[in-house]
Amino acid sequence: MSNTPKSLKDHAELAVQKAYAPYSKFSVGAAILLESGEIYTGCNVENISSGLTVCAERNAVGKAVSDLGGGIRIKEVFVTNINEHGKTIHCSPCGACRQVLAEFSTPETKVSYHGEGDITTTTMKNLLPDGFDHY
Ligand code: THU
């Protein structure tokens, strides 16, 4: 049996293991599938100066843009988490991450995350209706 991750969820579940969350004890992992077929992941990286913490989703986007440039387009996103009791709970991307994901997404980009005991799948336009745009 191979341990090669297959689904976006599998990638997010590997990423969440790398989280650096000693303060909140809430680990987050994100995986983004690009239109090119490439998958990038990120985890939250906390800081003793709380405001400097960076969320998993934004780290995934930062890694992708750093490697591939600003032309990336996000097709799909999966976000998972593990709380201090080792449980995965309802958690949708925060507002800041929605705006950063939207920068490289289309309104139809699929976003999945853990909902109430289940996985919620929605679209970028549902998560960030009327997001900031000055063009
Ligand atoms: N966090 C994320 O990584 N993504 C989100 O969309 C919301 C919150 C992280 C930040 C912090 O390290 C921890 O979750 C608790 O807020």
Side-chain angles (χ1 to χ4, degrees):
M1 193 148 116
S2 158
N3 285 327
T4 309
K6 296 242 176 342
S7 67
L8 209 53
K9 180 172 176 283
D10 289 337
H11 283 273
E13 284 173 353
L14 280 180
V16 74
Q17 301 295 335
K18 299 276 180 22
Y20 177 70
Y23 306 108
S24 72
K25 301 189 174 14
F26 188 70
S27 298
V28 183
I32 58 176
L33 170 67
L34 305 180
E35 291 288 356
S36 62
E38 288 156 289
I39 291 174
Y40 276 80
T41 61
C43 61
N44 51 335
V45 180
E46 296 189 344
N47 190 269
I48 193 160
S49 175
S50 309
L52 298 180
T53 290
V54 184
C55 294
E57 299 90 321
R58 278 180 286 148
N59 277 327
V61 170
K63 279 168 69 181
V65 173
S66 298
D67 275 1
L68 305 171
I72 61 158
R73 300 311 297 169
I74 302 171
K75 195 172 171 191
E76 207 174 319
V77 180
F78 196 100
V79 186
T80 190
N81 67 79
I82 303 174
N83 74 7
E84 62 191 304
H85 307 295
K87 298 263 183 274
T88 298
I89 61 159
H90 174 267
C91 182
S92 66
C94 76
C97 289
R98 292 178 195 204
Q99 190 76 51
V100 170
L101 288 167
E103 185 82 15
F104 301 101
S105 296
T106 69
E108 303 310 323
T109 293
K110 231 168 86 173
V111 184
S112 298
Y113 52 88
H114 289 278
E116 301 292 351
D118 215 336
I119 289 167
T120 296
T121 297
T122 185
T123 56
M124 204 59 234
K125 74 167 178 255
N126 279 338
L127 277 184
L128 191 68
D130 207 18
F132 179 70
D133 185 350
H134 59 86
Y135 292 105

